């Protein structure tokens, strides 16, 4: 399943936030005893100054601290970059630009963007909005993280010609210095209407990504026996098949203490470009758990090619058992010219909102499927965190 040059003649928009003032004080002291005073060389502090980032397609420029890491998304219709401070795993600033022809006003576009086009739309709630002096807009809202916590996000939307720019900034809960740092970043965001981007539809903004791998459509639910599940999917936004992807999960009690931890791989041999793989994390009776965190670890390029829907086809037919289990039966056929070994079948179950409410996998009984051979399968999903609306079957095999 897929998911869906130099800056010139640019118009700079100034954006403003209500930030706390900066209060920075650097003190250097030197003391010496009797006799000659010897000044020991003082190591230079690390360079924390901002550096201008130009997107490869010239769509926008923004200045960020040179110690921050960047993830760049570059297609012929979408330009995006996400910036992450040192020792953090999630981006704090994401800039996106695309060339679109608006059928109405910028405000009408903003209304649609907030409801349907935000990549985080299902987890986001707008709280306030304000038009700035330069015609851009600041939108304040709350976004739910994968662990169920809320973070405050300010979104800036601006337009230069046919170029639309969106800047998401996660407001810090830390120091005043960090707040001022973010304010300086926001004020440097500018668009280049002459960038080498092909005109496109506004729906392209949904595909904006913050990293090669992204956790999406997460559900957390309890069974009647007190078992706690976290289910979801990991999307691969890169152009390379990735494998060895691990999810690290921590459960916390009301005091913030870690009461359980689990490491588990996403299902399947690899995630192909633009596709996803499900995961299902199980905890037996963690009665004191009130929140959790999810962290992605790993993800390396696949070295040994796999056989999947380019040479494998499969059928499926689903039923619900008397116990309420989802039972899917079908056949897998090797339509290619290579022998498929150790075929692995995964199932992802979604509710009507598109959230993953169950996932599972099986190794087919036949360890090899020769060309033109067909083998049967049966997979049962006994525990589901809601009412299934649809499901997705995927089959991958080794050569």
């Amino acid at each position: 399943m897929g998911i869906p040059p130099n800056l010139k003649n640019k118009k700079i928009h100034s954006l403003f936030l209500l930030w706390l003032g900066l209060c920075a004080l650097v003190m250097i002291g030197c003391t010496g005893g009797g006799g000659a005073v010897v000044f020991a060389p003082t190591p230079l502090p690390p360079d924390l100054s901002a550096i201008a980032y130009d997107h490869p397609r010239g769509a926008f420029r923004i200045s960020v601290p040179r110690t921050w890491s960047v993830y760049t998304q570059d297609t012929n219709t979408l330009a995006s970059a996400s910036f992450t401070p040192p020792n953090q795993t999630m981006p704090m600033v994401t800039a996106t630009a695309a060339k679109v022809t608006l059928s109405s006003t910028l405000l009408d576009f903003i209304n649609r963007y907030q409801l349907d086009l935000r990549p985080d739309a299902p987890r986001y709630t707008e709280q306030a909005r304000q038009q700035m002096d330069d015609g851009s807009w600041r939108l304040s809202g709350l976004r739910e993280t994968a662990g169920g916590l809320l973070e405050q996000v300010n979104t800036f939307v601006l337009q230069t010609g046919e170029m639309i720019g969106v800047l998401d900034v996660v407001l810090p809960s830390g120091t005043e210095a960090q707040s001022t740092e973010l304010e300086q970043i926001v004020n440097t965001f500018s668009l280049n209407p002459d960038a080498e981007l092909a005109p496109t539809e506004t729906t392209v903004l949904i595909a904006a990504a913050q990293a090669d791998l992204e956790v999406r459509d997460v559900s957390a639910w309890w069974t009647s026996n007190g078992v706690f599940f976290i289910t979801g999917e990991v999307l691969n936004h890169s152009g390379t098949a990735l494998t060895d992807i691990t999810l690290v999960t921590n459960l916390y009690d009301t005091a913030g203490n870690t009461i359980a931890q689990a490491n588990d791989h996403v299902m399947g041999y690899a995630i192909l470009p633009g596709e996803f793989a499900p995961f299902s994390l199980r905890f037996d009776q963690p009665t004191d758990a009130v929140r959790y965190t999810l962290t992605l670890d790993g993800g390396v390029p696949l070295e040994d090619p796999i056989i999947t829907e380019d040479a494998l086809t499969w059928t499926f037919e689903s039923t619900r058992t008397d116990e309420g289990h989802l039972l899917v039966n079908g056949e897998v056929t090797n339509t290619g010219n290579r022998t498929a070994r150790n075929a692995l079948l995964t199932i992802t179950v979604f509710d009507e909102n598109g959230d993953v409410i169950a996932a599972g996998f099986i190794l087919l009984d036949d360890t090899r499927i020769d060309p033109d051979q067909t083998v049967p399968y049966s997979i049962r999903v006994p525990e589901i965190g809601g009412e299934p609306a649809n499901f997705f079957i995927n089959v991958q095999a080794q050569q």
Side-chain angles (χ1 to χ4, degrees):
M1 176 180 290
I3 303 299
N6 293 332
L7 295 176
K8 55 184 179 179
N9 301 325
K10 63 180 182 292
K11 179 180 180 182
I12 297 178
H13 291 256
S14 298
L15 308 176
F16 298 94
L17 272 170
L18 299 178
W19 301 93
L20 295 174
L22 171 67
C23 181
L25 180 62
V26 179
M27 301 180 65
I28 300 176
C30 297
T31 60
V37 178
V38 178
F39 293 92
T42 302
L44 292 175
D47 189 354
L48 303 179
S49 61
I51 185 171
Y53 169 88
D54 291 306
H55 190 273
R57 291 192 180 268
F60 61 82
R61 166 176 284 187
I62 190 170
S63 293
V64 297
R66 61 187 64 232
T67 56
W68 287 27
S69 60
V70 58
Y71 169 77
T72 299
Q73 188 178 14
D74 182 11
T75 73
N76 67 335
T77 57
L78 182 66
S80 182
S82 294
F83 304 91
T84 305
N87 303 317
Q88 294 191 25
T89 59
M90 296 303 296
M92 185 166 283
V93 175
T94 298
T96 304
K99 277 187 178 181
V100 297
T101 301
L102 299 183
S103 58
S104 54
T105 66
L106 179 62
L107 183 57
D108 289 334
F109 162 79
I110 289 173
N111 292 334
R112 186 187 176 195
Y113 179 81
Q114 291 291 83
L115 291 175
D116 301 322
L117 302 180
R118 295 185 64 101
D120 58 0
R123 303 178 289 112
Y124 173 87
T125 302
E126 182 179 332
Q127 294 182 304
R129 61 174 60 183
Q130 178 183 358
Q131 187 173 23
M132 314 311 292
D133 293 338
D134 62 356
S136 62
W137 286 80
R138 182 189 67 201
L139 316 167
S140 301
L142 292 177
R143 179 168 61 199
E144 184 177 356
T145 67
L149 299 178
L150 293 177
E151 60 184 9
Q152 190 167 356
V153 181
N154 275 359
T155 300
F156 301 89
V157 182
L158 58 155
Q159 180 180 14
T160 303
E162 292 186 343
M163 187 76 76
I164 295 291
V166 178
L167 186 69
D168 272 344
V169 180
V170 178
L171 271 63
S173 57
T175 64
E176 296 180 2
Q178 191 176 47
S179 298
T180 301
E181 192 172 53
L182 286 174
E183 179 186 8
Q184 294 169 347
I185 293 172
V186 168
N187 289 332
T188 64
F189 182 48
S190 60
L191 299 177
N192 173 24
D194 299 320
E196 297 178 354
L197 277 178
T200 187
E201 300 295 328
T202 56
T203 51
V204 72
L205 296 168
I206 300 175
Q210 295 184 336
D212 282 345
L213 294 172
E214 177 189 4
V215 178
R216 288 271 298 269
D217 304 325
V218 178
S219 296
W221 45 279
W222 298 81
T223 70
S224 58
N225 297 325
V227 178
F228 182 59
F229 276 91
I230 304 173
T231 49
E233 56 187 349
V234 175
L235 279 69
N236 181 3
H237 294 290
S238 77
T240 304
L242 299 175
T243 187
D244 195 20
I245 303 165
T246 303
L247 281 152
V248 181
T249 309
N250 288 281
L251 301 186
Y252 301 90
D253 61 16
T254 55
N257 301 312
T258 302
I259 59 174
Q261 185 182 69
N263 297 350
D264 200 4
H265 286 80
V266 299
M267 299 176 186
Y269 290 122
I271 310 180
L272 301 182
E275 297 191 358
F276 73 87
F279 64 86
S280 179
L281 301 162
R282 174 191 174 108
F283 296 86
D284 290 323
Q285 298 182 336
T287 55
D288 296 330
V290 295
R291 69 179 183 91
Y292 67 90
T293 58
L294 273 177
T295 305
L296 275 174
D297 188 22
V300 297
L302 180 68
E303 294 182 358
D304 299 323
I306 58 174
I307 301 174
T308 183
E309 58 186 354
D310 59 334
L312 296 174
T313 61
W314 50 89
T315 63
F316 51 85
E317 182 176 336
S318 65
T319 58
R320 295 296 293 272
T321 67
D322 294 339
E323 306 94 332
H325 300 174
L326 176 63
L327 182 64
V328 181
N329 298 305
E331 294 180 330
V332 178
T333 301
N334 186 349
T335 60
N337 55 14
R338 299 168 294 172
T339 296
R341 305 178 189 276
N342 304 318
L344 181 68
L345 181 146
T346 62
I347 182 170
T348 311
V349 185
F350 302 90
D351 63 12
E352 61 180 6
N353 296 319
D355 293 329
V356 178
I357 55 174
F361 70 92
I362 57 169
L363 277 169
L364 270 61
D365 293 336
D366 294 70
T367 58
R368 56 181 287 162
I369 309 176
D370 293 321
D372 297 325
Q373 182 182 2
T374 297
V375 300
Y377 75 84
S378 179
I379 185 168
R380 179 186 294 262
V381 185
E383 294 169 310
I384 305 176
E387 184 60 33
N390 52 67
F391 63 88
F392 179 79
I393 296 290
N394 191 35
V395 182
Q396 297 178 340
Q398 299 171 327
Q399 294 192 44

